[in-house]
């Protein structure tokens, strides 16, 4: 393959040679090259295969809109699929491979799909593969059989599974003015805003600022446009108020002028510096946004327009001017507007032969004729390209006379030998960001393009984005926009003098040349003009139907170049003007963004860990931890060789026989303070708290407004106006919000503060027959005997010189105490208790033993208060005060909530002495083969050391009436069936003699 | 008094880390104040509460939402309507307020154990903070002494600007270690030192 | 009826695909109908289809304010399953599943229903118990369900991180093998074509702007294309229920309209061959036939009629995605969009006669009504035709909230954003 | 979306928890009027347009706000403390975006 690199020119650094590979073959390029330009310079023209027909494809574009040249970039085992070669900056060691081809890019077996041609037209799948109506392949089977192959054939790149070790980061930014796009308009806007002293961010998706100035070949203030741009960038760099973000694509315009941008920080580097993220996700809250995002050139639709070698005119120009690469030696330009004449001249200047300019318009202005001769090109006005020739690369094309008004072709076909066809179908402003926010774009019949909608948020447009396609206009608009965005009145920056190639910005309204052969509209998805017409015939005429029926615009390029031609063809089929057809909805992201960047700092760190003060102690002392929400809690403290069941049975047994201690720091704790605290609690809890004496605690139950059970816990009265409420671990946040809502919104007259003090207190619950003796051995400053510390009493004292608060209450059913200390002292107090407990056989126990003991006692937790149960269902109706209203009281007696067949809490005993499983169901009649007739389910189960049986808590229909009856556990998921007895949920010590002591 | 255990301990590694060869741009530390209080005034009683803060601590809070002051040993700032955080190097501040904030003014809640104070200082402090919180850290938007309450996903934080390039972050103790690790991780890019 | 088949495809291909006819006609509205169905989404269309097919009621119009399928049927993540906890839901969705299993044949339209299974991942023992409870509930109603262990899961979805070192390690999962996904647009188009062939008028770009009444009784609608009378007026407008009910003078409903976003990645070679949900958050994912990963998460959390989402949920969803699939960090999100979900106070739907005479109401699908499309239309058609609910939709009344007969699969109470 | 908390200033929606329709009126605690309770707990105004709603600044000052927001454009027309009060000591009481 021959080198297409020009001798001079371009903005590449010829002194720096970079080595990389593509499909395993080594190549070189220069700093400043993209993968596309470097390969093109090396003579590569075949870059990819299309989605459906696997047709050979070359470069269409030079920027983000590239639909054909998608590659996978490899970093070791880490794959990055579907990246346009035009957006990959080369670096030493870059490894890129082509996609969607087998065995190789040049010889792709699936290209046979093309033979399916007309059968594989739009809507093909909906009409077939239903399979036989009867027999083994009926139903979904036949389709699934076919689908298996279809799925394998579909898809572009292959995603990797190797972990990506890169880091991704988020930045929150605030500015007065965000300028998106750094072409002449954007640069000038940034400068004007910065001159006013505004905080400015300038984001440009390309590596280099300047936009079209980098390749337009125009002159600004007597210098090449690129130099002018460079000067401006230099001035902006020196301004403290300005943040310049190159390689940063603003991809989303969200409510509240919040914009999302992706900065590719190290994608162009061989290695990242320490701690440097691969990509940075900028969430930018902007006062005002200047949208200076430029425009896209559109392809023309004609037979063979997808052959490698056919590309957009400005792309050809850009390869020549910016990258010093000639896309072809013999070039033909095909256009419906003036802009391509400039491209022709540029290509000529760069050293290509411009054989002809084919213009669909018959009357071409004298200026354009002059440009044609300047390019040394034959001007074929009133002509159109009707076919292209060649295999995997363009070798020639055919032109015919074309009538602009009728679209008719006439005369003989003439063949022209060419290896590059530079086409221009006019320009579409890049209105994506403006449209994302919701407003509809407006069709401009002069520009033959959708122009930006009226702003729905605070943005101002400038430059080609607004349809102002000349550089002088772009600069003037940019300055005005920057000034206005910064709230200034007089600009400091003078307007430069632009010398540009002249041209009429309005194209002829020609989108398609109708001739024989496949004419592509959506290149990546192989949607042809015929597909659009088929959609029309079948009634899929709305643009949104057109899109979904043909998949036009649904590929990785999101139809950046193809949408307008596609809907123009539909408009013609309908005989309607384009504005009545409309355009499909623009959605974020503007260009695809990596999922890693969106997860940003949470990649690999989804949720923080919540640790109790004694966490490290538990780990050091052999606890197996259990994750409960964000918390970690000891599950068991297993001894060597113990199973989980052996461990919790040992722990529970020891607790009931002597004493056990458990970390309860995760319980939600809320300080409820103020003169109205007691009144507030009376309203919030179903039972009474205003009658609670200072120094005492009470078990409380809360309902939701709708009358269902919400949460339970003990609340301690520490002072007349000072309560400490505890909640379940899982509901702590919810209860807090519930209380705050009522205080703020419903009862603002109550003087109460609620504060989360969960983290203030370390809590240890110590229970068992020896618990009091252990406390007595280590607590100073207070007695803990029955008189000083009766059931539900609270005392203050010291353990290990640390102030503690002790409340005598019990979850385990034993004589038990909760010892609270400042969290910073938690481990110290915990260790002191354990030390004191040694002579008494104190064990540490975890959640499993805790659960076991609560099941034995029949206490409820979140498994039973599951948002569907009432106080009555759980036999907590004794807590429903009749003396006062409370949250939920008005709603709790509705018919559905008091029905007799509701699920009610019961106990179950295994009669076959085999363990239960959580989530098993209960049935009256066992039918293992065909389980049915569930009357309830198990919420919690364990082996009960106290009873010597496998037991469970369950919610069973009309459960209370079933005490003493037999039934079966039915657990088809785990194939466990067997007889049970339904009993009261209070298995153990039902009259509470143990805890009352 | 007995020394308190820091929740950061096993993750607290004094020294230079990350990209420090190219300069240390932030310094991270745990400040371990003895007292962290939350004071809340009933609506209409804010002025009396602010007076009380001045009386007890000598800190004169500027008027306005989120206003605050910090003088090294002591700091105070508003973080919510009628609510203030008051911090003292020394323990025992709660008892100093006990008689002063009477029930007709508001409430005092001692959070000395429940919150962990982390300080970030240095030229890149704003940059690193911006990685976590969606609030504007630029000096004009977040003046010296001012307080803000905000969150980083599940981690709730109160932040006070205690210097031109210094912030004190108060997080729930149980989350502190996770947050600290994340903060260190995010600081690697700019090079950091733990004091 | 022009049959779709491999043969007809070939025949048409040979004639240059010139002979295909519109999938449905574009009639102008008549002055009156027996039944007007408001809403050309999945449910409205399937209602019309089953009215014609099952009850012989063909003088029916479906009125759609935009293009057919422009609502949630055209923007959902296509998960079809019947793995509910509460029997009222399970029975109804299982009926739907059975209709799905024969839908392509029934419609002579390939809706690409593909039963690749739905796997709910569990990350704590308590969650496994919860799933077991649900799976067993399903099994006791004759619905397929099984528990999968970690190694089975790894084999099914090799890209999933089951290393155990994850913040929320995978401990197992609840699998419904018969669950799957369908080509959402094709469902709307297939029902439209089926209804049209049976005489139903499908009228697009026809927005209902008011109700015609005779006293309390609804006797028709006014629309952007004129007044249309009907003996019965049936609403199936999903996310727009609040809006349309207000036109009928009913200001308040037990419904809030919320935005839900969804996402699709660039097209990839097959990597996820089932539908997967994350147990410690709100994430679910599958892969389309075209190769895009289709995924979503939680509601944005506030009332909206904008079909447009907010940024924090985007981040949230992607973070959860990578918690399961750390290898996909370099895969790129191609497009995101939003739909309007009619969230009820218990998360379950409403299919009922009334609340006004002459009116029939189908709504409250939250973010789970795509899977209901066949059964919803089937039951609604029954209810409209017979003026009483079928036993499958009998529990889905409007007054169940007030009577405390809530069907709350998630146990969240009257906070719609949490369902 | 940015919500301007009267105390904290404009903050990202991520810091807020939606608490729904702000037009609902809770019956008197002693009320036995089940219809009124049902309406309060279950019925919602759900307009396409300006909506009076309650948000909690749960990731900030934790105050509840009364926000008027357009449900079609997501534009926020006004915010104020739901609770009222706190008008002194320099606290802004109303935020405009
Ligand atoms: C992002 C997202 C993901 C989802 N994922 C799933 C999923 O995986 N599985 C699942 O089962 N469900 C899912 N759902 C839910 C499912 O899409 C919906 O519940 C279901 O589609 C609603 O029924 P429908 O199809 O009839 O609604 P729609 O398609 O919304 O139909 C209602 C129609 O009524 C029309 N209409 C409204 N007002 C008027 C009027 N005044 N006059 C005339 N016409 C009117 C609308 O334009 C619309 O076309 C998801 C939803 C969303 C938004
Ligand atoms: N008919 C014509 O002759 C014609 C047509 C169109 C454009 N033009 C030329 O276009 C220029 C107009 O200048 P301009 O500044 O308006 O446009 P421009 O094309 O020079 O610059 C736009 C810049 O915005 C960047 N950009 C686009 N979307 C972005 C995003 N989401 N995030 C970040 N960056 C983004 C692009 O990469 C580009 O650099 C003139 O020089 C004119 O000659 C001419
Ligand atoms: C299951 C499914 C798969 C989709 N796949 C793609 C896709 O491959 N490419 C694409 O551009 N959009 C895809 N979309 C999104 C649609 O383009 C569109 O955004 C969505 O239907 C909502 O419509 P709207 O954006 O026009 O409002 C998909 C949508 C769904 C529901
Ligand atoms: Zn606030």
């Amino acid at each position: 393959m021959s080198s297409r690199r020009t001798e001079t020119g371009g903005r590449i650094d010829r002194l720096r040679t970079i080595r990389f590979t593509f499909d395993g073959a080594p190549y070189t390029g220069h700093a400043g090259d993209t993968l596309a330009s470097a390969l093109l310079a090396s003579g590569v023209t075949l870059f990819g295969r299309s989605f459906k027909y696997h047709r050979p494809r070359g470069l269409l574009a030079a920027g983000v809109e590239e639909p054909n040249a998608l590659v996978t970039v490899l970093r070791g085992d880490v794959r990055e699929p579907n990246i346009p070669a035009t957006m990959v900056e080369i670096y030493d060691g870059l490894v890129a491979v082509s996609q969607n081809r087998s065995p190789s890019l040049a010889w792709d077996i699936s290209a046979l799909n093309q033979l399916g041609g007309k059968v594989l037209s739009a809507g093909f799948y909906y009409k077939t593969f239903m399979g036989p109506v009867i027999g083994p392949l009926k139903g979904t089977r036949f389709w699934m059989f076919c689908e298996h192959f279809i799925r394998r054939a579909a898809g572009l790149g292959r995603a990797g599974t190797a972990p990506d070790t890169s880091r991704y980061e988020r930045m929150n930014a605030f500015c007065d003015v965000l300028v998106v796009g750094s072409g002449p308009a954007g640069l000038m806007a940034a400068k004007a805003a910065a001159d006013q002293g505004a905080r400015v961010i300038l984001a440009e998706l390309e590596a280099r600022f300047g936009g079209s100035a980098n390749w337009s070949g125009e002159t600004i203030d007597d210098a090449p446009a690129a130099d002018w741009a460079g000067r401006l960038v230099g001035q902006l760099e020196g301004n403290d108020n300005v943040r310049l973000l190159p390689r940063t694509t603003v991809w989303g315009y969200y409510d509240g002028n919040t914009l999302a941008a992706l900065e590719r920080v190290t994608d162009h580097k061989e290695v990242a510096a320490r701690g440097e993220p691969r990509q940075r996700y900028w969430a930018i809250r902007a006062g005002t946004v200047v949208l200076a995002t430029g425009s896209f050139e559109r392809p023309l639709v004609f037979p063979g327009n997808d052959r490698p070698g056919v590309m957009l005119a400005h792309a050809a120009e850009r390869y020549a001017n910016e990258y010093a690469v000639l896309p072809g030696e013999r070039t033909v330009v095909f256009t419906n507007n003036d802009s391509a004449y400039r491209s022709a001249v540029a290509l000529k200047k760069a050293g290509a032969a411009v054989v002809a300019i084919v213009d669909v318009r018959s009357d071409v202005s004298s200026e354009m004729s002059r440009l044609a001769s300047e390019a040394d090109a034959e001007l074929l006005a009133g002509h159109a390209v009707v076919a292209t020739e060649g295999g995997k690369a363009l070798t020639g094309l055919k032109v015919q006379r074309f009538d602009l008004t009728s679209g008719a072709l006439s005369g003989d076909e003439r063949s022209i030998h060419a290896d590059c066809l530079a086409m221009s179908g006019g320009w579409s402003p890049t209105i994506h960001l403006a449209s994302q926010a919701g407003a509809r774009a407006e069709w401009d019949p002069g520009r033959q393009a959708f122009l930006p909608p009226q702003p729905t948020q605070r943005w101002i447009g400038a430059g080609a984005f607004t349809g102002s396609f000349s550089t002088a206009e772009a600069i003037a608009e940019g300055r005005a926009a920057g000034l206005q965005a910064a709230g200034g009145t007089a600009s400091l920056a003078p307007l430069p003098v632009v010398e540009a190639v002249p041209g009429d910005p309005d194209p002829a309204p020609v989108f398609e040349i109708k001739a024989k052969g496949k004419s592509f509209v959506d290149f990546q998805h192989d949607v042809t003009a015929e597909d659009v017409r088929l959609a029309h015939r079948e009634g899929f005429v709305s643009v949104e139907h057109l899109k979904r029926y043909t998949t036009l615009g649904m590929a990785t390029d999101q139809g950046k170049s193809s949408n307008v031609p596609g809907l123009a063809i539909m408009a013609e089929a309908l005989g309607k003007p384009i504005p009545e057809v409309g355009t499909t909805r623009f959605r974020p992201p503007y260009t695809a963004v990596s999922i890693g960047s969106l997860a940003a700092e949470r990649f690999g760190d989804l949720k923080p860990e919540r640790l109790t003060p004694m966490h490290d102690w538990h780990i050091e002392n052999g606890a197996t931890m259990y994750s409960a929400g964000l918390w970690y809690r000891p599950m068991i403290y297993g001894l060597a060789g113990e199973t989980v069941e052996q461990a919790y049975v040992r722990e529970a047994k020891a607790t009931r026989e002597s004493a056990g201690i458990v970390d309860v720091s995760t319980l939600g704790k809320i300080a409820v303070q103020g003169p109205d605290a007691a009144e507030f609690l009376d309203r919030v809890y179903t039972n009474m708290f205003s009658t609670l004496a200072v120094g005492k605690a009470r078990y409380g139950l809360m309902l939701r407004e709708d009358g269902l059970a919400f949460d339970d816990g003990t609340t301690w009265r520490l002072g007349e106006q000072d309560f400490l409420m505890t909640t379940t671990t899982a509901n702590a946040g919810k209860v807090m919000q519930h209380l705050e809502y009522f205080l703020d919104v419903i009862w603002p007259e109550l003087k109460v503060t609620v504060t989360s003090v969960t983290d203030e207190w370390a809590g240890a619950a110590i229970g068992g027959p020896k618990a009091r003796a252990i406390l007595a051995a280590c607590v100073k400053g207070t007695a803990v005997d029955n008189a000083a510390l009766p059931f539900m009493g609270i005392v203050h004292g010291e353990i290990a010189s640390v102030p503690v608060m002790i409340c005598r209450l019990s979850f385990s059913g034993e004589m038990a105490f909760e010892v609270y200390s400042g969290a910073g002292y938690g481990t110290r107090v915990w260790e002191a208790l354990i030390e004191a407990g040694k002579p008494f056989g104190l064990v540490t126990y975890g959640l499993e033993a805790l659960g076991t003991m609560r099941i034995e006692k029949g206490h409820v937790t979140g498994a039973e208060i599951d948002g569907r149960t009432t106080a009555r269902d759980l036999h907590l109706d004794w807590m429903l005060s009749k003396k006062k209203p409370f949250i939920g009281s008005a709603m709790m007696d509705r018919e559905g909530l008091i029905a007799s067949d509701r699920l009610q809490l019961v106990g179950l005993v295994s009669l076959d002495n085999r363990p239960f499983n959580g989530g098993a169901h209960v049935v009256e009649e066992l039918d293992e083969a065909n389980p049915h007739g569930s009357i309830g389910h198990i919420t919690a189960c364990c082996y009960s050391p106290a009873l010597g049986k496998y037991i469970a808590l369950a919610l069973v229909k009309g459960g209370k009436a079933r005490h003493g009856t037999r039934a079966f556990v039915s657990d088809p998921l785990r194939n466990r069936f067997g007889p049970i007895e339904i009993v009261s949920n209070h298995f153990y010590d039902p009259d509470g003699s143990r805890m009352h002591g | 008094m007995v020394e308190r255990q820091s929740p950061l301990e096993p993750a607290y590694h004094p020294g230079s880390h990350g990209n420090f060869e190219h300069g240390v741009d932030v310094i991270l530390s745990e400040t371990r104040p003895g007292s962290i209080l939350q004071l809340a005034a009933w609506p209409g009683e804010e002025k009396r509460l602010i007076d009380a803060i001045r009386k007890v601590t000598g800190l004169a809070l500027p008027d306005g939402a989120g206003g605050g002051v910090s003088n090294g040993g002591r700091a105070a700032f508003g973080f919510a309507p009628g609510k203030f955080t008051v911090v003292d190097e020394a323990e025992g501040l709660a008892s100093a307020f006990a008689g002063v904030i009477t029930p007709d003014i508001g409430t005092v809640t001692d959070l000395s154990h429940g919150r962990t104070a982390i300080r970030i200082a240095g030229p890149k402090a704003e940059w690193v903070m911006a990685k976590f919180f969606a609030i504007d850290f630029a000096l004009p938007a977040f003046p010296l002494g001012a307080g803000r309450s905000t969150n980083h996903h599940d981690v709730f934080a109160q932040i006070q600007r205690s210097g031109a390039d210094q912030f004190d972050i108060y997080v729930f103790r149980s989350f502190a270690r996770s947050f600290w690790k994340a903060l260190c991780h995010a600081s690697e890019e700019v090079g950091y030192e733990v004091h | 009826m022009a049959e779709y088949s491999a043969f007809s495809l070939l025949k048409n291909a040979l004639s240059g695909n010139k002979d295909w006819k519109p999938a449905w006609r574009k009639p102008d509205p008549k002055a009156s109908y027996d039944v007007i169905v408001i809403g050309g989404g999945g449910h409205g269309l399937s209602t019309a289809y089953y009215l014609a097919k099952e009850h012989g009621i063909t003088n029916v119009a479906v009125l759609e304010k935009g293009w057919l399928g422009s609502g949630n049927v055209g923007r959902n993540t296509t998960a079809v399953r019947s793995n509910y906890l509460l029997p009222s839901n399970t029975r109804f969705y299982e009926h739907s599943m059975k209709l799905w299993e024969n839908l392509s044949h029934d419609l002579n339209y390939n809706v690409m229903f593909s039963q690749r299974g739905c796997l709910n991942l569990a990350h704590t023992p308590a969650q496994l118990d919860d799933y077991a409870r649900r799976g067993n509930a399903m099994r006791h109603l004759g619905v397929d369900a099984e528990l999968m262990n970690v190694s089975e899961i790894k084999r099914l979805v090799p890209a999933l991180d089951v290393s155990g070192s994850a913040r929320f390690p995978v401990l197992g999962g609840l699998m419904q093998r018969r669950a799957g996904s369908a080509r959402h647009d094709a469902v709307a188009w297939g029902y439209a074509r089926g209804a049209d062939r049976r005489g139903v008028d499908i009228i697009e770009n026809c927005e209902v702007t008011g109700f015609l009444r005779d006293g309390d009784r609804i006797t028709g609608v006014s629309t952007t294309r004129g007044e249309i009378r009907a003996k019965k007026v049936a609403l199936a407008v999903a996310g727009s229920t609040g809006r349309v009910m207000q036109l009928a003078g009913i200001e308040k409903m037990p419904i809030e309209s919320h935005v839900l976003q969804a996402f699709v990645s660039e097209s990839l070679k097959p990597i996820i061959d089932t539908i997967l949900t994350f147990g410690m958050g709100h994430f679910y994912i599958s892969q389309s036939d075209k190769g895009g990963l289709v995924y979503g998460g939680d509601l944005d959390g506030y009332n909206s009629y904008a079909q447009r989402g907010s940024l924090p949920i985007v981040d949230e969803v992607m973070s959860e995605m990578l918690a399961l699939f750390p290898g996909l960090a370099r895969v790129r999100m191609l497009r995101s969009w939003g739909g309007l979900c009619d969230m009820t106070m218990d998360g379950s739907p409403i299919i009922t006669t009334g609340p006004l005479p002459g009116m029939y109401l189908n709504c409250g699908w939250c973010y789970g009504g795509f899977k209901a499309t066949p059964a919803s239309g089937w039951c609604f058609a029954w209810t409209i035709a017979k003026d009483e609910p079928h036993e499958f939709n009998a529990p889905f009344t409007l007054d169940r909230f007030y009577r405390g007969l809530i069907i709350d699969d998630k146990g969240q109470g009257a906070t719609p954003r949490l369902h | 979306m940015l919500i301007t908390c009267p105390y904290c200033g404009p903050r990202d929606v991520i810091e807020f928890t939606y608490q729904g329709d702000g037009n609902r009126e809770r019956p008197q605690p002693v009320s036995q009027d089940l219809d009124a309770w049902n309406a309060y707990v279950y019925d919602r105004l759900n307009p396409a347009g300006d909506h009076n709603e309650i948000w909690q600044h749960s990731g900030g000052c934790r105050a509840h706000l009364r926000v008027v927001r357009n449900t079609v454009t997501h534009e926020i027309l006004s915010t104020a403390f739901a609770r009222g009060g706190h008008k002194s000591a320099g606290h802004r009481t109303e935020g405009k975006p």
Side-chain angles (χ1 to χ4, degrees), chain C residues 37-46 62-81 84 93 100 180 188 203 205-211 222-224 236-241 243-244 247 258-263 275 284 286 294-297 299 307 337-342 362 364-373 376:
Chain C
V37 179
I38 310 175
H43 294 203
L45 293 166
S46 69
V62 178
L63 309 183
E64 166 54 48
K65 72 172 174 191
W67 43 279
L68 190 128
S70 53
N72 286 351
V73 71
R75 55 188 69 242
N76 73 88
T77 43
T78 79
V80 173
R81 55 187 176 86
Y84 280 76
Y93 284 104
W100 276 111
I203 302 164
N205 301 311
C206 178
E207 178 169 358
V208 170
T209 52
F211 286 86
S222 39
T223 77
T224 47
V237 294
S240 300
T241 301
R243 228 174 173 169
V244 177
L247 297 176
H258 281 251
V259 219
L260 179 69
Q261 301 192 54
F263 309 88
I275 302 166
Y284 58 98
S286 65
V294 177
Y295 55 99
L299 294 172
Q307 290 186 336
W337 62 95
L340 309 183
C341 296
D342 36 338
N362 173 321
W365 294 101
C366 301
Y367 43 63
F370 178 67
K371 65 177 90 70
T373 306
S376 167

Side-chain angles (χ1 to χ4, degrees), chain A residues 340-417:
Chain A
Y341 287 78
R342 184 182 84 187
S343 306
V345 173
L347 289 167
K348 167 72 187 169
K349 274 194 194 146
V354 181
V355 196
I357 298 179
V358 182
D359 194 324
V360 294
R361 303 170 298 180
S362 46
D363 51 349
V364 171
S365 69
S366 55
E367 274 169 329
M368 292 307 115
S369 308
R370 191 179 53 72
L371 288 178
S373 22
E374 195 180 326
D376 231 350
E378 181 184 0
L379 178 55
L380 291 167
H383 277 73
V385 177
V386 295
T388 64
E389 288 160 352
K392 293 180 194 101
L394 185 75
T395 55
L397 48 88
K398 288 190 175 134
V399 298
Q400 244 184 317
R401 280 206 161 279
F402 178 80
D403 181 68
L404 192 61
T405 37
S406 67
L409 296 162
S410 61
D412 290 340
E413 286 183 356
R414 172 176 157 197
S415 291
I416 302 177
H417 174 56

